[in-house]
């Protein structure tokens, strides 16, 4: 099929390359000429394992190309995906819809032959119905320009795998104008469907809500275990053992019960806020009041680590030398959007500490957000002569550090394991004071 993907960020670029891998002919569209130039050269402008290889393969084969020209995409493709961002509005909880709206306002007037638009971006419920009507109104082909909503569930770090082998496909259809949307989506995803991937069709509102509910549930699960971690901290209980024990119940499951610094990134934090804001607009804000507490528990984890750091360096952070290992919001990503790791590094720095940050992939992005932080060349250099080490992102490189060797480099062998990811015994055996979150210090 001939496909266009509007937006070439973490979602759009991966989706474009994934569609090419499935055998489609794909054109990626973005308003940023520098990004398009790099992608067209076969370079991925961010870190995502496996994506550079996939992108180069299909740029070289000619099955995938990039442009800033929406008219070229409208001319070329029969199916248009929307994969632009819906960030949090400045100073508000609601999602900023201007990028999605701009795609529709640009693309729809260019549709002179039948086309299907499939929205992937995470949007407030009600958006798709509004956009479907706008497309019909603006497109020269009128009703033959159709819109469906096809939420995306990919995780950064596993984006290629999640795109090529999704665990489910969800498609929202405008029930009043069903048209060809389902037939076209089934053709696009024929490969996954042939492998018995669940393919769920529903109405537009449900499809939009599936996505925000999934992220709200994941955020709630993480904050649940972090709230329990707070109780563990004052009772001497161990939240990791507790999570293992409750996780054996298949109704609960062990995934997303990792207590620690909490969730960050470009999705979970802003999605729960936008969900609350939308519920408020719809007059059902009470239904989602609990998400405010999910957000509060999450943000308290960061305060807690800063407090622990102050305690461990003798009460005052001023002048304390602290290594923060990790800046990305999670491992296998260079994304620092709402990163708990970078947030605590910044807070410690503002409190007067001499903070040295190291991350295997996110240094450039971190430096853009916090140019005044000290960035070290390696984990070992970051830790030289420090009073405290904080592991803030669970990169395998940090999990595999040799605590014995590292002890010789620091002034005080104290580690806060902000992700409960280190082999505790190895660190304590090597003579470290080990502080996990929701676990007793040893
Ligand atoms: C998330 C959803 O998982 C994905 O389905 C959706 O499409 C986009 O949002 P992503 O933002 O890539 O994906 O990250 P995810 O793996 O969900 O992690 C989110 C945050 O939660 C990270 O900061 C991670 O460190 C944290 N987390 C995750 C925990 O603190 N504990 C856990 O047990 C799991």
């Amino acid at each position: 099929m001939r496909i266009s993907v509007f937006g070439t960020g973490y979602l759009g670029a991966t989706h474009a390359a994934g569609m090419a891998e499935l055998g489609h002919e794909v054109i990626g569209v973005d308003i940023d000429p520098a990004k398009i130039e790099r992608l067209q050269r076969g370079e991925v402008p961010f870190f995502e394992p496996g994506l550079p290889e996939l992108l180069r393969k299909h740029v070289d084969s000619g099955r995938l190309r990039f442009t800033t020209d929406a008219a070229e995409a409208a001319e070329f493709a029969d199916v248009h995906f929307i994969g632009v961002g819906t960030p949090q509005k400045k100073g508000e909880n609601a999602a900023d819809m201007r990028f999605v709206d701009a795609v529709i306002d640009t693309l729809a007037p260019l549709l002179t032959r039948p086309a299907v638009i499939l929205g992937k971006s995470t949007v407030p419920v009600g958006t798709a119905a509004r956009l479907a009507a706008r497309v019909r109104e603006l497109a020269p082909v009128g009703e033959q320009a159709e819109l469906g909503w096809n939420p995306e569930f990919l995780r950064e770090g596993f984006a290629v795998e999640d795109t090529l082998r999704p665990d489910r496909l969800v498609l929202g259809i405008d029930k009043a104008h069903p048209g060809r949307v389902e037939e076209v989506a089934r053709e696009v995803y024929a490969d996954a469907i042939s492998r018995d991937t669940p393919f769920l069709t529903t109405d537009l509102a449900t499809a939009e809500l599936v996505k925000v509910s999934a992220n709200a549930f994941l955020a709630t699960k993480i904050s649940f275990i972090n709230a329990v971690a707070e109780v563990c901290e004052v009772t001497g209980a161990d939240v990791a053992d507790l999570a293992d024990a409750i996780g054996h119940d298949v109704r609960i499951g062990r995934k997303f019960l990792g207590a620690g610094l909490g969730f960050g990134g470009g999705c979970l934090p802003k999605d729960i806020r936008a969900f609350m804001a939308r519920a408020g607009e719809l007059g059902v804000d009470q239904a989602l009041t609990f998400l405010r507490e999910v957000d509060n528990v999450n943000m308290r984890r960061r305060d807690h680590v800063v407090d622990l750091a102050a305690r461990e360096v003798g009460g005052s952070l001023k002048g304390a030398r602290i290594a923060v290992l990790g800046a990305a919001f999670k491992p296998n990503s260079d994304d620092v959007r709402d990163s708990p790791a970078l947030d605590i590094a910044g807070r410690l720095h503002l409190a007067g500490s001499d903070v040295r940050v190291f991350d295997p992939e996110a240094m450039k992005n971190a430096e853009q957000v916090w140019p005044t932080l000290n960035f070290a060349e390696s984990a070992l250099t970051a830790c030289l002569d420090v009073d405290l080490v904080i592991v803030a992102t669970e990169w395998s490189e940090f999990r595999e550090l040799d605590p014995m060797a590292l002890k010789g480099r620091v002034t005080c062998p104290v580690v806060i394991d902000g992700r409960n990811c280190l082999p505790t015994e190895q660190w304590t055996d090597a003579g470290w004071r080990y502080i996990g979150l929701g676990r007793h210090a040893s």
Side-chain angles (χ1 to χ4, degrees), residues 152-157 211 215 218 222 226 255-268 271 329-331 340 394 419:
E152 178 57 58
F153 305 102
L154 66 76
R155 299 158 298 167
E156 286 178 28
K211 174 61 201 244
N215 276 358
L218 294 173
I222 298 168
N226 280 330
K255 288 183 182 155
F256 275 70
L257 285 182
L261 259 171
F263 58 82
C267 293
L268 263 44
D271 285 354
F329 83 105
K330 68 172 191 179
E394 66 276 35
R419 293 292 179 183

Side-chain angles (χ1 to χ4, degrees), residues 37-121:
E37 208 176 291
R38 288 188 66 180
L39 287 161
Q40 190 54 48
R41 281 202 307 265
E43 277 174 41
V44 179
F46 51 85
F47 179 77
E48 183 61 50
L51 186 56
E53 294 79 359
L54 200 65
L55 183 90
R56 259 193 305 276
K57 176 176 164 193
H58 294 296
V59 168
D60 288 350
S61 74
R63 213 187 277 163
L64 174 62
R65 63 198 162 95
F66 293 92
T67 183
T68 52
D69 184 3
E72 190 184 340
E75 171 69 24
F76 171 78
D78 306 305
V79 187
H80 304 278
F81 281 100
I82 306 177
V84 293
T86 51
Q88 188 173 341
K89 267 191 195 163
K90 285 201 173 73
E92 278 181 56
N93 274 345
D96 186 343
M97 295 304 297
R98 86 177 96 150
F99 304 111
V100 171
D101 288 340
V103 170
I104 294 294
D105 286 353
T106 308
L107 175 65
L110 300 168
L111 297 175
T112 49
R113 62 192 164 85
V116 168
I117 301 176
L118 293 174
K120 287 219 147 282
S121 309

Side-chain angles (χ1 to χ4, degrees), residues 281-300:
E281 287 167 9
L282 295 165
V284 285
D285 48 332
Q286 281 188 348
L288 299 184
T289 309
F290 75 96
L291 287 179
R292 198 172 310 149
E293 200 45 38
V294 167
D295 204 357
N296 288 338
V297 169
N298 194 50
M299 299 311 282
R300 266 206 308 272

